[in-house]
Amino acid sequence: MTDPETPGTNQGPVTISTSSSERAPIIYFDGASCFGHHNGAIQIELAANLLMPVGAAVRVDVVQTAHLRCSVAAALALREALDKALAMYQQGQQQPRPEEIPTVKN
């Protein structure tokens, strides 16, 4: 995502357009139902579980929530972002919880 007015040699940070940030969809998924590649494009189908009441029981339906298509470079960037997000999560889980301050009653 480069500015068409800027020469290609400028390797500055990428600027995300503020006009698109609020309109971007939020995609939730419980897993990847299948994946593959075709003509150089990575293909991943994302799916989520739906709980459907059936009398007194519950049936789980799996529905596709997104069809992810990207280049190999974009897939590598996504994997790197996921790895970094998971590392941040792991680091937060390992930090000791602060001691609770006891409540003092007068």
Side-chain angles (χ1 to χ4, degrees):
M1 302 187 144
T2 59
D3 181 5
E5 303 297 321
T6 305
T9 57
N10 182 1
Q11 298 296 323
V14 174
T15 302
I16 304 295
S17 171
T18 56
S19 65
S20 66
S21 299
E22 296 154 356
R23 295 183 187 106
I26 296 173
I27 300 170
Y28 177 85
F29 65 100
D30 292 310
S33 60
C34 54
F35 56 89
H37 65 90
H38 183 68
N39 289 336
I42 301 299
Q43 301 176 323
I44 303 171
E45 307 305 323
L46 302 178
N49 298 332
L50 291 181
L51 302 178
M52 305 299 293
V54 179
V58 175
R59 181 183 80 227
V60 178
D61 285 349
V62 178
V63 297
Q64 300 289 8
T65 57
H67 309 282
L68 183 61
R69 303 294 185 265
C70 61
S71 67
V72 171
L76 291 170
L78 177 60
R79 181 171 66 181
E80 181 182 3
L82 288 169
D83 288 342
K84 288 179 178 180
L86 289 168
M88 289 171 67
Y89 173 78
Q90 293 280 340
Q91 187 178 32
Q93 294 297 312
Q94 293 172 357
Q95 292 178 358
R97 294 186 179 198
E99 293 182 26
E100 290 194 26
I101 300 172
T103 303
V104 177
K105 295 184 179 182
N106 293 331

